[in-house]
């Protein structure tokens, strides 16, 4: 139990730390950040439940007003911004990513990369598109077109998540709980 709590808090901190990498905000108000890499890693390393819990802890801290999102944003106002769908989708993205890695055996780098594409991109984009549609007053197809700008960077993050998870498993096998 202590180990789980520590790792959940550690990955929430990792997601926050990745927010320190400078963001690039697109014209429609949604930034490109490194924080989704942390969400993907939470799933690939911690597994479905722990990964989702790390994201929920992070979101709770943001809701309390801590400026942990890229650009130092935090507080309840972020839940009324175009990023809301992506933010509330993080726990689901981490859960799906972790669920796939826990169940699909094979080359860990490949499995983690594919799981990150499915959970950390496809699942997350469903939430993001809905959030953007609601907050920006766009149709779902219009909002879906807007997220295409994120695809190349997110695919790179998914590959990185796979490589990092595989390297971590080689150096410290017991630390990759999604395969435990």
């Amino acid at each position: 139990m202590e180990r789980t709590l520590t790792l959940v808090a550690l990955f929430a901190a990792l997601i926050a730390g990745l927010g320190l990498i400078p963001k690039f905000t697109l014209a429609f108000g949604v930034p490109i950040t490194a924080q989704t890499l942390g969400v993907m890693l939470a799933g690939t390393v911690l597994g479905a439940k722990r990964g989702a819990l790390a994201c929920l802890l992070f979101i709770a801290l943001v809701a309390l007003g801590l400026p942990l999102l890229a650009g130092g944003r935090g507080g309840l106002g972020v839940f009324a911004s175009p990023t809301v769908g992506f933010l509330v989708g993080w726990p689901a993205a981490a859960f799906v990513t972790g669920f796939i890695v826990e169940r699909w055996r094979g080359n860990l780098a490949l499995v983690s990369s594919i799981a990150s594409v499915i959970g950390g991109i496809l699942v997350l984009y469903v939430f993001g598109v809905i959030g953007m549609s609601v907050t920006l007053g766009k149709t779902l197809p219009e909002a879906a077109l807007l997220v295409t700008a994120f695809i190349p960077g997110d695919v790179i993050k998914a590959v990185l998540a796979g490589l990092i998870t595989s390297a971590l498993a080689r150096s410290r096998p017991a630390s990759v709980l999604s395969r435990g």
Side-chain angles (χ1 to χ4, degrees):
M1 181 60 132
E2 289 175 2
R3 182 176 187 218
T4 295
L5 288 173
T6 302
L7 290 171
V8 164
L10 179 67
F11 272 79
L14 173 67
I15 295 168
L18 288 169
L20 296 174
I21 295 173
K23 66 178 178 138
F24 176 75
T25 303
L26 299 176
F28 47 90
V30 179
I32 295 175
T33 75
Q35 288 182 298
T36 50
L37 173 60
V39 173
M40 292 173 188
L41 286 169
T44 62
V45 174
L46 297 182
K49 292 177 186 172
R50 291 179 194 99
L53 285 172
C55 293
L56 285 170
L57 173 58
F58 178 86
I59 292 168
L61 294 172
V62 168
L64 289 172
L66 293 173
L68 301 177
L69 290 171
R73 297 173 305 123
L76 294 177
V78 300
F79 296 97
S81 72
T83 63
V84 65
F86 292 100
L87 184 59
V88 300
W90 283 1
F95 184 88
V96 170
T97 301
F99 185 84
I100 293 168
V101 174
E102 288 171 352
R103 283 158 180 74
W104 184 10
R105 299 298 172 194
N107 178 291
L108 185 57
L110 180 63
V111 169
S112 295
S113 294
I114 292 171
S116 293
V117 167
I118 295 169
I121 298 176
L122 296 177
V123 169
L124 187 58
Y125 281 23
V126 169
F127 285 88
V129 166
I130 292 169
M132 287 174 53
S133 174
V134 170
T135 58
L136 297 175
K138 303 276 185 195
T139 65
L140 288 174
E142 289 171 333
L145 187 60
L146 292 174
V147 300
T148 59
F150 299 109
I151 294 172
D154 284 343
V155 169
I156 291 169
K157 289 181 236 177
V159 171
L160 283 172
L163 294 173
I164 292 167
T165 303
S166 178
L168 186 59
R170 281 193 307 276
S171 64
R172 298 189 55 96
S175 65
V176 179
L177 302 181
S178 61
R179 287 294 176 104

